[in-house]
Amino acid sequence: LYALYADGIKARGLARVIGESGLSERQIRYLRFAEEFEHKFVNQRVDENRSVQDTLNIAWDLLSSISDDTLTRIRREYITLYQSKKNKPDLLIKE
């Protein structure tokens, strides 16, 4: 999770220099992941009483937006067991 976020931060810095149009598709996906990570995972509201399970569910939802072959630091059985099978968002499209 944090390694993907770090890649997104690197992509954000590069985009500031060369523009987002100069990023590769992979870099754009990492950039979008970083934005979603900050919005959904890090920015917990003051009045939000999020349980550990809720936080883990958010983490798996975020990870579901990344291709499985990129998730090399997570055991395959955990990906199969916990990763959301719902429609994966396309991180190339900014909503």
Side-chain angles (χ1 to χ4, degrees):
L1 202 59
Y2 292 109
L4 290 168
Y5 178 61
D7 288 337
I9 295 302
K10 288 177 193 173
R12 182 182 292 158
L14 187 58
R16 287 184 181 137
V17 175
I18 64 171
E20 194 172 308
S21 62
L23 298 178
S24 69
E25 284 188 10
R26 180 180 218 144
Q27 290 168 322
I28 292 171
R29 288 181 195 280
Y30 288 156
L31 176 60
R32 298 289 181 261
F33 177 86
E35 292 168 352
E36 289 296 308
F37 178 82
E38 290 169 348
H39 177 71
K40 294 180 180 177
F41 194 84
V42 176
N43 292 334
Q44 182 175 347
R45 293 186 327 268
V46 175
D47 64 336
E48 183 179 5
N49 189 13
R50 188 189 304 164
S51 69
V52 173
Q53 187 61 49
D54 290 341
T55 301
L56 290 172
N57 287 337
I58 291 169
W60 280 111
D61 284 344
L62 288 168
L63 290 173
S64 72
S65 67
I66 301 296
S67 65
D68 290 353
D69 61 331
T70 305
L71 303 176
T72 58
R73 297 181 183 196
I74 302 173
R75 292 182 184 174
R76 277 293 133 207
E77 60 264 26
Y78 293 153
I79 293 171
T80 302
L81 182 62
Y82 295 112
Q83 193 172 51
S84 174
K85 297 302 179 191
K86 62 185 176 185
N87 293 334
K88 294 185 175 191
D90 186 349
L91 292 181
L92 290 176
I93 301 170
K94 189 170 184 173
E95 295 177 5

